[in-house]
Amino acid sequence: MPEIKVTPLGAGQDVGRSCILVSIGGKNIMLDCGMHMGYNDDRRFPDFSYITQNGRLTEFLDCVIISHFHLDHCGALPFMSEMVGYDGPIYMTHPTKAICPILLEDFRKITVDKKGETNFFTSQMIKDCMKKVVPLNLHQTVQGDYNMTPDRHLGAAWIDKCRPDILISESTYATTIRDSKRCRERDFLKKVHESIERGGKVLIPVFALGRAQELCILLETFWERMNLKAPIYFSTGLTEKANHYYKLFITWTNQKIRKTFVQRNMFEFKHIKAFDRSYADNPGPMVVFATPGMLHAGQSLQIFKKWAGNEKNMVIMPGYCVQGTIGHKILNGQRKLEMEGRSTLDVKLQVEYMSFSAHADAKGIMQLIRMAEPRNMLLVHGEAVKMEFLKGKIEQEFNCHMPANGETATVTTNPSVPVDISLNLLKREMALGGPLPDPKKPRTMHGTLIMKENLVSSEQALKELGLNEHQLRFTCRVQLQDPHSDPDTLNRIYTHLKSVLKGYTIQHLPDGTVMVESIVIKVSSSAEDTSTKVLLLSWSYQTSIKKSGP
């Protein structure tokens, strides 16, 4: 029986560094090629040695498919293609192709220009990598992270009841059931407003795309309604470019934003201004969106260091933070942080976690699985203990796998072969009083499946099956003026065709017709006027007409 083999090179019982190798039908396909935010060494990239110990990956991979532009799904692409070596096609959507190089370059600047790391890809490598990208439309790619709840800028995920052999799902929030979206938005606005009212500063670490735009729209609307004056800033450069691409790809957003786009663009903010690093020292309240989202580097970490010592201030973490990042540490209650250079930082500001994550919660994951009704489930991109709990829930209804990095899950498939069923057989089965056809309840039918190992002529096939040949012919009528009799007119047509169609078989038959290959020509006079001739042309359907001469 055919098999599907799935091997995580990253995100196997772990969050981040998403990279899944799928072997199916003799092809090797890599789904995503991300990086891990919690490591600063080679562990940040997927372990490609599972594919080959030495040499380029091109010989072993047929293609790479990138689900979306988050760095934990595309951050290792230039490393894989330019440093390890891969020259094949890389598929992703048009917005991902536009945004991916911006995020990669920003990540490179932080890692190389600011931290001074050496074993890393260059700007030129990013450009060379993107030349291998083949852009696709929506519904032509796979989905990496998903959410079953629509937000303020994107719609909810959905899937047809396609009953695949295997469904691979992320499981970041494998044990979490979130409050309603409206409750989370209300709590978020309340916390921000309270902090501003007491003169505090609010830091919201975000990744440049997705959560940033959603929360910007939320605060913009709230500031307008409440007529608040405290400034809101977002870190310049990256998010500014991101908003530009949201405007450019407005048709990919949800229905509400597309409708309001006629009156105004929801991504052109009145109350939210570009941030300058000198503003962090300004007195008075403010709200700042800064990248990156896990406080592991960049401007968000710099602002956090400045504001951490004041209990009036607040940091709101709106998404998941992987182990090893500052974000993960403060969410777990750590109040003394060891920073670079062995210095320590006392955390006195308020720390709040409010999930506006792009990931589905446990309820959403189960909802998607029940939508698709897969024969097998495979969980990736989640913490091992939480995955194990969700796996137990899934196995009450479906088969489920959760391989670690480097482990291979093998699924045996039972491919269905479409066949044509004769009408007589269907009528006979119905007459026997069986249940009506139902895709959810397969039933057995008894009949004979006719298959031929060799290609035979249509005449031989008809003879073996005891069937008669039916020929389909097409006809048309042409009128012309000719005073001669019908036989003379036909004879003149025959002589003319013989002179102009020298490479074709032309016959004047005794039944008063002319044949050109399979085309039949017959002449008759009009009832009203004998000088008006009606030419009846008839031909059978053929894929080609072979010439009998040069």
Side-chain angles (χ1 to χ4, degrees), residues 241-436:
K241 285 179 182 175
N243 286 342
H244 165 74
Y245 281 111
Y246 265 93
K247 294 171 191 175
L248 184 64
F249 293 107
I250 197 85
T251 54
W252 293 62
T253 57
N254 66 24
Q255 192 174 3
K256 183 180 178 182
I257 286 184
R258 291 200 303 271
K259 282 184 176 179
T260 57
F261 180 66
V262 180
Q263 287 82 33
R264 71 183 185 94
N265 192 321
M266 292 283 280
F267 298 108
E268 289 176 353
F269 303 115
K270 173 183 170 185
H271 299 279
I272 303 173
K273 308 298 180 187
F275 179 75
D276 185 276
R277 65 183 61 195
S278 63
Y279 295 173
D281 299 317
N282 287 356
M286 69 177 74
V287 179
V288 176
F289 291 95
T291 59
M294 298 187 191
L295 289 177
H296 58 282
Q299 201 160 60
S300 63
L301 182 57
Q302 297 306 315
I303 297 169
F304 175 77
K305 288 177 183 177
K306 287 190 175 186
W307 294 358
N310 190 334
E311 59 272 7
K312 280 187 180 181
N313 297 337
M314 178 184 290
V315 60
I316 298 177
M317 305 300 295
Y320 184 87
C321 295
V322 300
Q323 199 165 350
T325 61
I326 298 293
H328 184 270
K329 289 173 183 176
I330 63 172
L331 285 176
N332 280 278
Q334 203 168 321
R335 286 293 169 173
K336 275 193 179 293
L337 300 172
E338 190 174 316
M339 310 304 287
E340 290 178 6
R342 294 191 175 180
S343 61
T344 56
L345 179 69
D346 289 327
V347 180
K348 295 180 181 178
L349 85 176
Q350 293 184 60
V351 178
E352 297 287 346
Y353 174 70
M354 295 182 183
S355 178
F356 287 89
S357 175
H359 302 278
D361 62 3
K363 184 179 175 183
I365 294 168
M366 291 303 299
Q367 187 182 343
L368 189 86
I369 295 169
R370 288 175 183 136
M371 273 186 183
E373 288 189 0
R375 295 179 180 87
N376 296 275
M377 268 304 300
L378 190 139
L379 297 177
V380 294
H381 206 279
E383 297 171 29
V385 176
K386 295 178 180 178
M387 278 175 125
E388 194 69 58
F389 177 82
L390 180 61
K391 180 174 180 279
K393 292 285 184 186
I394 294 170
E395 285 181 331
Q396 294 174 15
E397 302 176 52
F398 305 93
N399 295 326
C400 189
H401 308 264
M402 47 170 283
N405 289 332
E407 289 182 2
T408 299
T410 302
V411 172
T412 302
T413 64
N414 188 14
S416 56
V417 180
V419 295
D420 294 323
I421 299 176
S422 71
L423 186 59
N424 287 336
L425 177 58
L426 284 174
K427 285 180 177 177
R428 192 188 76 184
E429 289 291 320
M430 295 298 291
L432 293 173
L436 292 172

Side-chain angles (χ1 to χ4, degrees), residues 506-527:
I506 303 171
Q507 303 174 70
H508 194 165
L509 301 177
D511 63 353
T513 59
V514 168
M515 283 194 71
V516 182
E517 300 290 343
S518 64
I519 301 169
V520 178
I521 304 170
K522 192 172 182 178
V523 175
S524 61
S525 297
S526 170

Side-chain angles (χ1 to χ4, degrees), residues 144-250:
D145 300 336
Y146 62 92
N147 201 325
M148 301 304 290
T149 306
D151 57 33
R152 290 178 176 263
H153 71 300
L154 295 175
W158 59 270
I159 190 170
D160 290 328
K161 198 177 289 297
C162 50
R163 299 184 180 88
D165 287 308
I166 188 165
L167 176 64
I168 304 171
S169 173
E170 58 112 339
S171 52
T172 314
Y173 290 105
T175 58
T176 304
I177 303 290
R178 293 198 194 97
D179 296 333
S180 73
K181 187 84 171 181
R182 192 178 293 273
C183 287
R184 277 178 280 145
E185 290 180 347
R186 188 176 62 240
D187 290 345
F188 170 76
L189 294 172
K190 182 184 176 186
K191 294 286 185 187
V192 172
H193 194 204
E194 285 175 353
S195 185
I196 292 297
E197 287 292 293
R198 64 172 178 266
K201 295 175 171 62
V202 180
L203 172 63
I204 307 172
V206 288
F207 290 104
L209 290 123
R211 226 163 292 150
Q213 283 68 34
E214 180 184 1
L215 296 177
C216 279
I217 293 169
L218 186 59
L219 279 187
E220 173 81 7
T221 309
F222 184 70
W223 248 239
E224 185 74 22
R225 189 172 75 242
M226 301 294 289
N227 196 26
L228 298 176
K229 302 302 179 188
I232 307 173
Y233 301 111
F234 61 77
S235 55
T236 53
L238 194 57
T239 308
E240 207 165 17
K241 285 179 182 175
N243 286 342
H244 165 74
Y245 281 111
Y246 265 93
K247 294 171 191 175
L248 184 64
F249 293 107
I250 197 85

Side-chain angles (χ1 to χ4, degrees), residues 65 91-95 134-138 140-141 252:
I65 303 173
Y91 297 103
M92 59 179 71
T93 63
H94 290 274
V134 180
L136 300 173
N137 293 319
L138 194 64
Q140 287 184 292
T141 59
W252 293 62

